[in-house]
Amino acid sequence: MELLKERIRKDGVIKEGNVLKVDNFLNHQMDIELFNEIGREFKRRFADVKVDRILTIEASGIGIAAIAAQYFHVPVVFAKKSQSINLDGTMLSAPIESFTHKRRYEVIVASRFLNPGENVLILDDFLANGCAALGLCEIIEKAHANVAGIGIVIEKGFQCGGKMLREKGLRVESLAIVDGMDAETQTIRFRD
Amino acid sequence: MELLKERIRKDGVIKEGNVLKVDNFLNHQMDIELFNEIGREFKRRFADVKVDRILTIEASGIGIAAIAAQYFHVPVVFAKKSQSINLDGTMLSAPIESFTHKRRYEVIVASRFLNPGENVLILDDFLANGCAALGLCEIIEKAHANVAGIGIVIEKGFQCGGKMLREKGLRVESLAIVDGMDAETQTIRFRD
């Protein structure tokens, strides 16, 4: 998605340790017009797939998923990262490890929001080591539902997540795949 | 907003301890069509107010704010609840206390996403004791920006937050104000 790559080149800031900061349009401040283009592109890429529900994970997936849902006309569920007293009923959970926050946590979805047999599209802002996406897949599997696909805004192609998920036979559509970046020169190399 | 009150009556579940669960349409599963009606209603209520930016707080405010922003044509910033290694630059923060999670935390916004003199509309899903809204007001004040108003989906009118904020001269628009609820009979009394 050229518009997105241009925006990453323009506003992305590369930090040491392979950190790509895109917080002025994606995951702290949100450019809702860009989100609409992203939502439209996800719909175009998954046009041949039956989608009954979108699943994402708090916090930065929520805005993307909410806007994208307008093109799919399905409800969105966002997985929570810690048990809350407002959550009850039967919960589905999976352990995941955060690269950004360097900690492990449980990701939780109320089982009544994922029905057996339905097709669930996973959407998220980043794909790096794939732990978050894998945790969401595990939850969908526990609900006896199907993973319709995984839509990612920015994939770090030099980390293992995308390869690992695709080798499992999952359909991963990443709108921009970063194959390399250099903090010193602030240059980014995208996969074509 | 009648559509919202009807939905709360139909799908809201009242728990002991004045907990109102609306997680099947508002803060776990999200009904994006309803969110669009909510966004439209916020725009109608704040039609006379200049809004340069929308500020909300993770996680459940994000979906509401993203959809509502489509009616205001402004960017959204969501405040974060804990320091992340991906956050840097000058940060604005305020301590807030969570009713739901029974703990204190810092709410954080990168200062470059709030400009001096601009008018910031706060949007959130719930207003109870008002601590989250007050924390966001404190951050806006630290940025030398102005609070354009506070838009809330569900206000718990029997808690002190709405009164406290209005007494400070802040304009609070709540789309549904719950004045009482009964867990035994599952009945909700709304303010007219």
Side-chain angles (χ1 to χ4, degrees), chain A residues 15 19 21 23-24 27-30 32 36 53 58-59 62-63 66-67 69-70 76-78 80 84-86 88 100-101 110 112-113, chain B residues 15 19 21 23-24 27-30 32 36 53 58-59 62-63 66-67 69-70 76-78 80 84-86 88 100-101 110 112-113:
Chain A
K15 299 273 177 183
V19 173
K21 282 172 63 71
D23 58 356
N24 92 330
N27 50 19
H28 186 13
Q29 181 164 247
M30 307 188 290
I32 303 300
N36 264 294
R53 202 177 297 262
E58 66 178 13
I62 297 175
I67 298 292
Q70 297 177 132
V76 179
V77 176
F78 64 88
K80 305 196 175 195
S84 150
I85 60 160
N86 270 7
D88 74 352
T100 318
H101 299 90
R112 69 189 184 284
F113 299 137
Chain B
K15 299 273 178 184
V19 173
K21 283 172 61 74
D23 58 357
N24 92 331
N27 51 19
H28 187 14
Q29 180 164 248
M30 305 189 291
I32 302 300
N36 264 294
R53 202 177 296 262
E58 65 178 14
I62 298 174
I67 298 292
Q70 297 177 130
V76 179
V77 176
F78 64 88
K80 305 196 175 195
S84 148
I85 60 160
N86 270 7
D88 75 351
T100 318
H101 299 91
R112 69 190 184 283
F113 299 137

Short mmCIF file of all heavy atoms in Angstrom, two decimals, chain A residues 15 19 21 23-24 27-30 32 36 53 58-59 62-63 66-67 69-70 76-78 80 84-86 88 100-101 110 112-113, chain B residues 15 19 21 23-24 27-30 32 36 53 58-59 62-63 66-67 69-70 76-78 80 84-86 88 100-101 110 112-113:
data_model
loop_
_atom_site.label_atom_id
_atom_site.label_comp_id
_atom_site.label_asym_id
_atom_site.label_seq_id
_atom_site.Cartn_x
_atom_site.Cartn_y
_atom_site.Cartn_z
N LYS A 15 14.43 3.92 15.77
CA LYS A 15 15.23 3.96 17.00
C LYS A 15 16.14 2.73 17.04
O LYS A 15 15.81 1.70 16.43
CB LYS A 15 14.31 3.94 18.23
CG LYS A 15 13.35 5.12 18.30
CD LYS A 15 14.01 6.28 18.99
CE LYS A 15 13.10 7.49 19.00
NZ LYS A 15 13.77 8.65 19.60
N VAL A 19 13.38 -0.52 16.62
CA VAL A 19 12.10 0.07 17.01
C VAL A 19 11.69 1.08 15.94
O VAL A 19 12.48 1.94 15.55
CB VAL A 19 12.21 0.77 18.39
CG1 VAL A 19 10.93 1.54 18.71
CG2 VAL A 19 12.49 -0.26 19.48
N LYS A 21 8.99 3.91 15.33
CA LYS A 21 7.96 4.71 15.97
C LYS A 21 7.06 5.34 14.91
O LYS A 21 7.53 6.08 14.05
CB LYS A 21 8.59 5.83 16.81
CG LYS A 21 9.15 5.33 18.14
CD LYS A 21 9.92 6.43 18.83
CE LYS A 21 9.06 7.61 19.19
NZ LYS A 21 8.11 7.34 20.28
N ASP A 23 4.04 6.73 16.00
CA ASP A 23 3.00 7.16 16.94
C ASP A 23 2.33 8.46 16.54
O ASP A 23 1.37 8.85 17.17
CB ASP A 23 3.54 7.22 18.38
CG ASP A 23 4.73 8.15 18.53
OD1 ASP A 23 5.18 8.70 17.52
OD2 ASP A 23 5.20 8.31 19.68
N ASN A 24 2.79 9.13 15.50
CA ASN A 24 2.06 10.34 15.14
C ASN A 24 0.93 10.09 14.14
O ASN A 24 0.16 10.99 13.84
CB ASN A 24 3.00 11.48 14.70
CG ASN A 24 3.25 11.50 13.23
OD1 ASN A 24 3.22 10.45 12.60
ND2 ASN A 24 3.52 12.68 12.69
N ASN A 27 -0.35 4.70 16.33
CA ASN A 27 -0.63 4.06 17.62
C ASN A 27 -0.50 4.95 18.86
O ASN A 27 -0.33 4.44 19.98
CB ASN A 27 0.21 2.79 17.78
CG ASN A 27 1.68 3.02 17.49
OD1 ASN A 27 2.14 4.16 17.51
ND2 ASN A 27 2.42 1.95 17.25
N HIS A 28 -0.64 6.26 18.65
CA HIS A 28 -0.80 7.14 19.81
C HIS A 28 -1.72 8.28 19.33
O HIS A 28 -2.83 8.42 19.79
CB HIS A 28 0.56 7.65 20.31
CG HIS A 28 0.51 8.44 21.57
ND1 HIS A 28 -0.59 8.48 22.39
CD2 HIS A 28 1.44 9.24 22.18
CE1 HIS A 28 -0.32 9.27 23.43
NE2 HIS A 28 0.89 9.74 23.32
N GLN A 29 -1.24 9.03 18.34
CA GLN A 29 -2.16 9.85 17.56
C GLN A 29 -2.62 8.99 16.37
O GLN A 29 -1.84 8.22 15.82
CB GLN A 29 -1.46 11.12 17.04
CG GLN A 29 -2.37 12.02 16.24
CD GLN A 29 -1.82 13.43 16.06
OE1 GLN A 29 -2.37 14.37 16.59
NE2 GLN A 29 -0.75 13.56 15.32
N MET A 30 -3.91 9.10 16.02
CA MET A 30 -4.45 8.27 14.95
C MET A 30 -4.98 9.17 13.83
O MET A 30 -5.83 10.03 14.08
CB MET A 30 -5.58 7.38 15.47
CG MET A 30 -5.21 6.54 16.70
SD MET A 30 -6.48 5.31 17.16
CE MET A 30 -7.78 6.38 17.78
N ILE A 32 -7.34 9.35 11.16
CA ILE A 32 -8.54 8.56 10.84
C ILE A 32 -8.79 8.50 9.33
O ILE A 32 -9.32 7.51 8.84
CB ILE A 32 -9.76 9.11 11.61
CG1 ILE A 32 -9.50 9.10 13.13
CG2 ILE A 32 -11.02 8.30 11.31
CD1 ILE A 32 -9.22 7.73 13.72
N ASN A 36 -9.13 4.99 7.29
CA ASN A 36 -10.17 4.63 6.33
C ASN A 36 -9.57 4.01 5.08
O ASN A 36 -10.11 3.02 4.56
CB ASN A 36 -11.05 5.85 6.00
CG ASN A 36 -12.30 5.88 6.86
OD1 ASN A 36 -13.17 5.01 6.73
ND2 ASN A 36 -12.40 6.84 7.75
N ARG A 53 -16.69 -11.81 11.81
CA ARG A 53 -16.32 -11.01 12.97
C ARG A 53 -14.85 -10.60 12.84
O ARG A 53 -14.07 -11.32 12.22
CB ARG A 53 -16.49 -11.85 14.23
CG ARG A 53 -16.66 -11.07 15.51
CD ARG A 53 -16.88 -12.04 16.66
NE ARG A 53 -18.09 -12.82 16.53
CZ ARG A 53 -19.23 -12.50 17.14
NH1 ARG A 53 -19.29 -11.46 17.93
NH2 ARG A 53 -20.31 -13.25 16.99
N GLU A 58 -6.25 -5.05 22.43
CA GLU A 58 -6.03 -3.70 22.93
C GLU A 58 -4.54 -3.42 23.02
O GLU A 58 -3.77 -4.34 23.19
CB GLU A 58 -6.70 -3.52 24.31
CG GLU A 58 -6.08 -4.37 25.40
CD GLU A 58 -6.73 -4.12 26.77
OE1 GLU A 58 -7.80 -3.50 26.86
OE2 GLU A 58 -6.14 -4.59 27.75
N ALA A 59 -4.10 -2.15 22.91
CA ALA A 59 -4.92 -1.00 22.69
C ALA A 59 -4.85 -0.55 21.23
O ALA A 59 -5.85 -0.16 20.64
CB ALA A 59 -4.45 0.15 23.58
N ILE A 62 -7.37 -1.39 18.22
CA ILE A 62 -8.80 -1.09 18.31
C ILE A 62 -9.26 -0.05 17.27
O ILE A 62 -10.28 -0.24 16.62
CB ILE A 62 -9.17 -0.61 19.74
CG1 ILE A 62 -8.90 -1.73 20.76
CG2 ILE A 62 -10.64 -0.19 19.81
CD1 ILE A 62 -9.11 -1.31 22.22
N GLY A 63 -8.51 1.03 17.12
CA GLY A 63 -8.91 2.07 16.18
C GLY A 63 -8.93 1.55 14.74
O GLY A 63 -9.88 1.78 14.00
N ALA A 66 -11.91 -0.88 14.36
CA ALA A 66 -13.22 -0.19 14.38
C ALA A 66 -13.49 0.45 13.03
O ALA A 66 -14.58 0.32 12.47
CB ALA A 66 -13.25 0.86 15.50
N ILE A 67 -12.49 1.14 12.49
CA ILE A 67 -12.68 1.80 11.19
C ILE A 67 -12.81 0.75 10.07
O ILE A 67 -13.70 0.86 9.21
CB ILE A 67 -11.51 2.77 10.89
CG1 ILE A 67 -11.44 3.90 11.95
CG2 ILE A 67 -11.62 3.34 9.48
CD1 ILE A 67 -12.58 4.89 11.93
N ALA A 69 -13.96 -2.21 10.24
CA ALA A 69 -15.23 -2.93 10.35
C ALA A 69 -16.33 -2.29 9.53
O ALA A 69 -17.28 -2.95 9.11
CB ALA A 69 -15.65 -3.02 11.82
N GLN A 70 -16.19 -0.98 9.28
CA GLN A 70 -17.20 -0.28 8.47
C GLN A 70 -17.22 -0.80 7.04
O GLN A 70 -18.21 -0.65 6.35
CB GLN A 70 -16.92 1.23 8.48
CG GLN A 70 -17.02 1.82 9.88
CD GLN A 70 -16.67 3.30 9.92
OE1 GLN A 70 -17.38 4.10 10.48
NE2 GLN A 70 -15.57 3.66 9.30
N VAL A 76 -16.83 -5.97 15.96
CA VAL A 76 -15.42 -6.12 16.34
C VAL A 76 -15.37 -6.58 17.80
O VAL A 76 -16.12 -6.08 18.63
CB VAL A 76 -14.69 -4.77 16.26
CG1 VAL A 76 -13.23 -4.91 16.67
CG2 VAL A 76 -14.79 -4.18 14.86
N VAL A 77 -14.47 -7.48 18.09
CA VAL A 77 -14.18 -7.83 19.48
C VAL A 77 -12.71 -7.49 19.73
O VAL A 77 -11.87 -7.81 18.89
CB VAL A 77 -14.43 -9.33 19.75
CG1 VAL A 77 -14.02 -9.70 21.18
CG2 VAL A 77 -15.89 -9.67 19.51
N PHE A 78 -12.44 -6.80 20.85
CA PHE A 78 -11.03 -6.63 21.16
C PHE A 78 -10.66 -7.45 22.38
O PHE A 78 -11.33 -7.44 23.39
CB PHE A 78 -10.61 -5.15 21.29
CG PHE A 78 -11.22 -4.35 22.41
CD1 PHE A 78 -10.65 -4.31 23.67
CD2 PHE A 78 -12.36 -3.60 22.17
CE1 PHE A 78 -11.20 -3.54 24.68
CE2 PHE A 78 -12.92 -2.82 23.18
CZ PHE A 78 -12.34 -2.80 24.43
N LYS A 80 -8.62 -8.47 25.62
CA LYS A 80 -8.07 -7.67 26.72
C LYS A 80 -6.79 -8.32 27.22
O LYS A 80 -6.58 -9.52 27.07
CB LYS A 80 -9.10 -7.58 27.84
CG LYS A 80 -10.43 -7.01 27.30
CD LYS A 80 -11.35 -6.53 28.40
CE LYS A 80 -12.57 -5.87 27.75
NZ LYS A 80 -13.34 -5.06 28.70
N SER A 84 -10.19 -8.28 34.27
CA SER A 84 -10.86 -7.12 34.85
C SER A 84 -12.06 -7.63 35.63
O SER A 84 -12.65 -8.64 35.28
CB SER A 84 -11.31 -6.18 33.74
OG SER A 84 -12.47 -5.47 34.10
N ILE A 85 -12.46 -6.90 36.68
CA ILE A 85 -13.63 -7.37 37.43
C ILE A 85 -14.91 -7.24 36.61
O ILE A 85 -15.92 -7.83 36.94
CB ILE A 85 -13.81 -6.63 38.78
CG1 ILE A 85 -14.00 -5.14 38.58
CG2 ILE A 85 -12.68 -6.94 39.74
CD1 ILE A 85 -14.64 -4.46 39.77
N ASN A 86 -14.85 -6.45 35.52
CA ASN A 86 -16.03 -6.34 34.66
C ASN A 86 -16.16 -7.49 33.67
O ASN A 86 -17.14 -7.58 32.97
CB ASN A 86 -16.00 -5.01 33.88
CG ASN A 86 -16.70 -3.92 34.66
OD1 ASN A 86 -17.08 -4.13 35.80
ND2 ASN A 86 -16.88 -2.77 34.05
N ASP A 88 -16.76 -11.35 33.07
CA ASP A 88 -17.16 -12.59 33.75
C ASP A 88 -17.66 -13.57 32.70
O ASP A 88 -17.49 -13.36 31.51
CB ASP A 88 -18.19 -12.34 34.85
CG ASP A 88 -19.55 -12.05 34.28
OD1 ASP A 88 -19.66 -11.89 33.04
OD2 ASP A 88 -20.50 -11.98 35.05
N THR A 100 7.41 -5.07 22.89
CA THR A 100 7.49 -3.65 23.27
C THR A 100 7.64 -3.49 24.77
O THR A 100 8.44 -2.68 25.24
CB THR A 100 6.22 -2.90 22.81
OG1 THR A 100 5.88 -3.33 21.50
CG2 THR A 100 6.42 -1.41 22.83
N HIS A 101 6.84 -4.22 25.52
CA HIS A 101 6.82 -4.01 26.96
C HIS A 101 7.68 -5.03 27.72
O HIS A 101 7.76 -4.97 28.94
CB HIS A 101 5.38 -4.03 27.49
CG HIS A 101 4.53 -2.94 26.89
ND1 HIS A 101 3.81 -3.13 25.73
CD2 HIS A 101 4.33 -1.66 27.26
CE1 HIS A 101 3.19 -2.00 25.43
NE2 HIS A 101 3.48 -1.10 26.32
N ALA A 110 -14.09 -12.96 26.02
CA ALA A 110 -15.28 -13.64 26.53
C ALA A 110 -15.77 -14.62 25.46
O ALA A 110 -15.94 -14.24 24.30
CB ALA A 110 -16.37 -12.63 26.87
N ARG A 112 -18.50 -15.90 24.74
CA ARG A 112 -19.78 -15.67 24.05
C ARG A 112 -19.66 -14.74 22.85
O ARG A 112 -20.61 -14.60 22.09
CB ARG A 112 -20.84 -15.15 25.03
CG ARG A 112 -20.61 -13.75 25.56
CD ARG A 112 -21.60 -13.46 26.69
NE ARG A 112 -21.50 -12.10 27.18
CZ ARG A 112 -20.54 -11.64 27.97
NH1 ARG A 112 -19.56 -12.45 28.37
NH2 ARG A 112 -20.54 -10.40 28.39
N PHE A 113 -18.49 -14.12 22.68
CA PHE A 113 -18.31 -13.24 21.53
C PHE A 113 -17.57 -13.91 20.37
O PHE A 113 -17.20 -13.26 19.39
CB PHE A 113 -17.59 -11.95 21.94
CG PHE A 113 -18.35 -11.16 22.96
CD1 PHE A 113 -17.73 -10.58 24.05
CD2 PHE A 113 -19.73 -11.00 22.84
CE1 PHE A 113 -18.44 -9.87 24.99
CE2 PHE A 113 -20.46 -10.28 23.78
CZ PHE A 113 -19.81 -9.72 24.86
N LYS B 15 -24.73 -5.73 37.68
CA LYS B 15 -24.09 -6.60 38.67
C LYS B 15 -24.08 -5.88 40.01
O LYS B 15 -24.11 -4.65 40.06
CB LYS B 15 -22.64 -6.88 38.25
CG LYS B 15 -22.51 -7.59 36.92
CD LYS B 15 -22.58 -9.07 37.12
CE LYS B 15 -22.52 -9.80 35.79
NZ LYS B 15 -22.69 -11.25 35.96
N VAL B 19 -22.16 -2.15 39.15
CA VAL B 19 -21.43 -2.42 37.90
C VAL B 19 -22.46 -2.62 36.78
O VAL B 19 -23.41 -3.39 36.92
CB VAL B 19 -20.54 -3.67 38.04
CG1 VAL B 19 -19.92 -4.06 36.70
CG2 VAL B 19 -19.44 -3.42 39.07
N LYS B 21 -22.62 -3.83 33.02
CA LYS B 21 -21.85 -4.49 31.96
C LYS B 21 -22.52 -4.23 30.61
O LYS B 21 -23.68 -4.58 30.41
CB LYS B 21 -21.78 -5.99 32.19
CG LYS B 21 -20.78 -6.39 33.27
CD LYS B 21 -20.89 -7.86 33.59
CE LYS B 21 -20.59 -8.73 32.40
NZ LYS B 21 -19.15 -8.79 32.07
N ASP B 23 -20.67 -4.97 27.74
CA ASP B 23 -19.53 -5.44 26.94
C ASP B 23 -19.96 -6.13 25.65
O ASP B 23 -19.11 -6.45 24.84
CB ASP B 23 -18.59 -6.33 27.77
CG ASP B 23 -19.29 -7.54 28.36
OD1 ASP B 23 -20.51 -7.66 28.19
OD2 ASP B 23 -18.60 -8.36 28.99
N ASN B 24 -21.26 -6.32 25.43
CA ASN B 24 -21.60 -6.91 24.14
C ASN B 24 -21.83 -5.89 23.04
O ASN B 24 -22.03 -6.25 21.88
CB ASN B 24 -22.74 -7.93 24.26
CG ASN B 24 -24.08 -7.34 24.05
OD1 ASN B 24 -24.29 -6.16 24.32
ND2 ASN B 24 -25.01 -8.14 23.56
N ASN B 27 -17.75 -2.08 25.14
CA ASN B 27 -16.35 -2.09 25.57
C ASN B 27 -15.64 -3.45 25.60
O ASN B 27 -14.65 -3.62 26.30
CB ASN B 27 -16.21 -1.37 26.92
CG ASN B 27 -17.19 -1.87 27.95
OD1 ASN B 27 -17.74 -2.96 27.80
ND2 ASN B 27 -17.41 -1.10 28.99
N HIS B 28 -16.16 -4.37 24.81
CA HIS B 28 -15.39 -5.62 24.57
C HIS B 28 -15.73 -6.04 23.14
O HIS B 28 -14.88 -6.01 22.27
CB HIS B 28 -15.76 -6.68 25.61
CG HIS B 28 -14.92 -7.93 25.56
ND1 HIS B 28 -13.74 -8.01 24.86
CD2 HIS B 28 -15.10 -9.17 26.12
CE1 HIS B 28 -13.23 -9.24 24.99
NE2 HIS B 28 -14.04 -9.95 25.74
N GLN B 29 -17.03 -6.35 22.90
CA GLN B 29 -17.50 -6.36 21.53
C GLN B 29 -18.00 -4.94 21.21
O GLN B 29 -18.58 -4.28 22.08
CB GLN B 29 -18.63 -7.38 21.36
CG GLN B 29 -19.16 -7.45 19.94
CD GLN B 29 -19.99 -8.70 19.69
OE1 GLN B 29 -19.60 -9.57 18.93
NE2 GLN B 29 -21.14 -8.78 20.31
N MET B 30 -17.73 -4.48 19.99
CA MET B 30 -18.13 -3.12 19.63
C MET B 30 -19.09 -3.15 18.45
O MET B 30 -18.76 -3.72 17.40
CB MET B 30 -16.89 -2.29 19.25
CG MET B 30 -15.80 -2.27 20.33
SD MET B 30 -14.45 -1.08 19.99
CE MET B 30 -13.64 -1.85 18.57
N ILE B 32 -20.28 -1.31 15.65
CA ILE B 32 -19.76 -0.15 14.93
C ILE B 32 -20.89 0.70 14.33
O ILE B 32 -20.75 1.92 14.21
CB ILE B 32 -18.73 -0.58 13.87
CG1 ILE B 32 -17.57 -1.37 14.53
CG2 ILE B 32 -18.17 0.62 13.12
CD1 ILE B 32 -16.78 -0.61 15.58
N ASN B 36 -21.36 4.66 15.13
CA ASN B 36 -21.57 5.74 14.16
C ASN B 36 -22.70 6.65 14.60
O ASN B 36 -22.60 7.88 14.47
CB ASN B 36 -21.82 5.16 12.76
CG ASN B 36 -20.54 5.13 11.94
OD1 ASN B 36 -19.99 6.16 11.60
ND2 ASN B 36 -20.05 3.94 11.64
N ARG B 53 -8.96 18.70 18.05
CA ARG B 53 -8.40 17.38 18.31
C ARG B 53 -9.31 16.65 19.31
O ARG B 53 -9.95 17.29 20.14
CB ARG B 53 -7.01 17.52 18.94
CG ARG B 53 -6.11 16.33 18.80
CD ARG B 53 -4.76 16.66 19.40
NE ARG B 53 -4.07 17.74 18.70
CZ ARG B 53 -3.13 17.54 17.78
NH1 ARG B 53 -2.77 16.32 17.45
NH2 ARG B 53 -2.55 18.57 17.19
N GLU B 58 -6.94 4.86 26.55
CA GLU B 58 -7.05 3.45 26.25
C GLU B 58 -7.76 2.72 27.39
O GLU B 58 -7.67 3.16 28.51
CB GLU B 58 -5.65 2.85 26.00
CG GLU B 58 -4.76 2.86 27.22
CD GLU B 58 -3.38 2.21 26.95
OE1 GLU B 58 -3.02 1.99 25.80
OE2 GLU B 58 -2.70 1.94 27.94
N ALA B 59 -8.43 1.60 27.13
CA ALA B 59 -8.59 1.00 25.82
C ALA B 59 -9.99 1.29 25.28
O ALA B 59 -10.14 1.55 24.08
CB ALA B 59 -8.41 -0.50 25.93
N ILE B 62 -11.08 4.20 22.71
CA ILE B 62 -10.45 4.34 21.39
C ILE B 62 -11.42 4.13 20.23
O ILE B 62 -11.44 4.91 19.27
CB ILE B 62 -9.23 3.39 21.26
CG1 ILE B 62 -8.15 3.75 22.30
CG2 ILE B 62 -8.65 3.46 19.85
CD1 ILE B 62 -6.98 2.78 22.36
N GLY B 63 -12.22 3.07 20.31
CA GLY B 63 -13.15 2.78 19.21
C GLY B 63 -14.17 3.90 19.03
O GLY B 63 -14.43 4.35 17.91
N ALA B 66 -12.38 7.00 17.58
CA ALA B 66 -11.98 6.83 16.18
C ALA B 66 -13.19 7.02 15.26
O ALA B 66 -13.11 7.72 14.26
CB ALA B 66 -11.36 5.45 15.96
N ILE B 67 -14.31 6.41 15.61
CA ILE B 67 -15.51 6.54 14.78
C ILE B 67 -16.05 7.97 14.85
O ILE B 67 -16.41 8.57 13.82
CB ILE B 67 -16.58 5.51 15.21
CG1 ILE B 67 -16.08 4.07 15.02
CG2 ILE B 67 -17.89 5.75 14.45
CD1 ILE B 67 -15.88 3.62 13.59
N ALA B 69 -14.47 10.69 15.35
CA ALA B 69 -13.57 11.62 14.66
C ALA B 69 -13.95 11.82 13.20
O ALA B 69 -13.67 12.85 12.61
CB ALA B 69 -12.13 11.12 14.75
N GLN B 70 -14.63 10.82 12.63
CA GLN B 70 -15.06 10.93 11.23
C GLN B 70 -16.08 12.05 11.04
O GLN B 70 -16.26 12.55 9.94
CB GLN B 70 -15.65 9.60 10.76
CG GLN B 70 -14.61 8.49 10.79
CD GLN B 70 -15.19 7.13 10.39
OE1 GLN B 70 -14.64 6.45 9.55
NE2 GLN B 70 -16.30 6.75 10.99
N VAL B 76 -7.23 11.97 16.35
CA VAL B 76 -7.50 11.48 17.70
C VAL B 76 -6.18 11.14 18.37
O VAL B 76 -5.29 10.58 17.73
CB VAL B 76 -8.34 10.17 17.65
CG1 VAL B 76 -8.61 9.64 19.05
CG2 VAL B 76 -9.64 10.39 16.90
N VAL B 77 -6.06 11.47 19.64
CA VAL B 77 -4.92 11.00 20.44
C VAL B 77 -5.48 10.16 21.57
O VAL B 77 -6.47 10.56 22.19
CB VAL B 77 -4.12 12.19 21.02
CG1 VAL B 77 -3.01 11.70 21.93
CG2 VAL B 77 -3.55 13.04 19.89
N PHE B 78 -4.91 8.99 21.78
CA PHE B 78 -5.34 8.25 22.98
C PHE B 78 -4.24 8.24 24.02
O PHE B 78 -3.08 7.94 23.73
CB PHE B 78 -5.88 6.85 22.67
CG PHE B 78 -4.91 5.85 22.09
CD1 PHE B 78 -4.14 5.05 22.90
CD2 PHE B 78 -4.82 5.67 20.71
CE1 PHE B 78 -3.28 4.10 22.37
CE2 PHE B 78 -3.95 4.73 20.16
CZ PHE B 78 -3.18 3.94 20.99
N LYS B 80 -2.14 6.92 27.12
CA LYS B 80 -1.72 5.58 27.50
C LYS B 80 -1.68 5.46 29.01
O LYS B 80 -1.54 6.45 29.71
CB LYS B 80 -0.35 5.28 26.90
CG LYS B 80 -0.37 5.49 25.39
CD LYS B 80 0.81 4.85 24.70
CE LYS B 80 0.64 5.00 23.18
NZ LYS B 80 1.53 4.12 22.43
N SER B 84 5.73 3.16 28.11
CA SER B 84 6.18 2.13 27.18
C SER B 84 7.54 2.54 26.64
O SER B 84 7.84 3.73 26.56
CB SER B 84 5.17 2.02 26.04
OG SER B 84 5.78 1.66 24.83
N ILE B 85 8.37 1.59 26.28
CA ILE B 85 9.68 1.97 25.74
C ILE B 85 9.54 2.65 24.39
O ILE B 85 10.46 3.29 23.92
CB ILE B 85 10.65 0.77 25.62
CG1 ILE B 85 10.10 -0.31 24.70
CG2 ILE B 85 11.03 0.22 26.98
CD1 ILE B 85 11.17 -1.25 24.18
N ASN B 86 8.38 2.49 23.74
CA ASN B 86 8.16 3.17 22.46
C ASN B 86 7.77 4.63 22.62
O ASN B 86 7.67 5.35 21.65
CB ASN B 86 7.09 2.44 21.65
CG ASN B 86 7.71 1.39 20.76
OD1 ASN B 86 8.90 1.13 20.85
ND2 ASN B 86 6.92 0.80 19.91
N ASP B 88 8.70 8.31 23.78
CA ASP B 88 9.81 9.12 24.23
C ASP B 88 9.49 10.59 23.98
O ASP B 88 8.34 10.93 23.71
CB ASP B 88 11.13 8.71 23.58
CG ASP B 88 11.21 9.16 22.15
OD1 ASP B 88 10.19 9.64 21.61
OD2 ASP B 88 12.29 9.05 21.56
N THR B 100 -12.79 0.48 38.05
CA THR B 100 -12.95 -0.89 37.57
C THR B 100 -11.81 -1.79 38.06
O THR B 100 -12.03 -2.91 38.49
CB THR B 100 -12.97 -0.93 36.03
OG1 THR B 100 -13.76 0.15 35.57
CG2 THR B 100 -13.51 -2.24 35.52
N HIS B 101 -10.60 -1.27 37.97
CA HIS B 101 -9.45 -2.13 38.28
C HIS B 101 -8.91 -1.90 39.70
O HIS B 101 -7.96 -2.54 40.11
CB HIS B 101 -8.33 -1.92 37.25
CG HIS B 101 -8.77 -2.27 35.85
ND1 HIS B 101 -9.32 -1.35 35.01
CD2 HIS B 101 -8.77 -3.46 35.19
CE1 HIS B 101 -9.63 -1.95 33.86
NE2 HIS B 101 -9.31 -3.22 33.94
N ALA B 110 2.09 12.11 24.79
CA ALA B 110 3.27 12.81 24.26
C ALA B 110 2.90 14.26 24.02
O ALA B 110 1.89 14.55 23.37
CB ALA B 110 3.74 12.15 22.97
N ARG B 112 3.94 16.51 22.14
CA ARG B 112 3.88 17.04 20.77
C ARG B 112 2.53 16.80 20.10
O ARG B 112 2.27 17.35 19.02
CB ARG B 112 5.02 16.47 19.92
CG ARG B 112 4.91 14.99 19.60
CD ARG B 112 6.22 14.51 18.97
NE ARG B 112 6.16 13.13 18.53
CZ ARG B 112 6.26 12.09 19.35
NH1 ARG B 112 6.37 12.26 20.66
NH2 ARG B 112 6.21 10.85 18.87
N PHE B 113 1.66 16.01 20.72
CA PHE B 113 0.34 15.76 20.13
C PHE B 113 -0.75 16.64 20.73
O PHE B 113 -1.94 16.46 20.45
CB PHE B 113 -0.03 14.28 20.24
CG PHE B 113 0.92 13.38 19.52
CD1 PHE B 113 1.36 12.20 20.08
CD2 PHE B 113 1.41 13.74 18.26
CE1 PHE B 113 2.26 11.38 19.42
CE2 PHE B 113 2.31 12.93 17.59
CZ PHE B 113 2.73 11.75 18.17
#
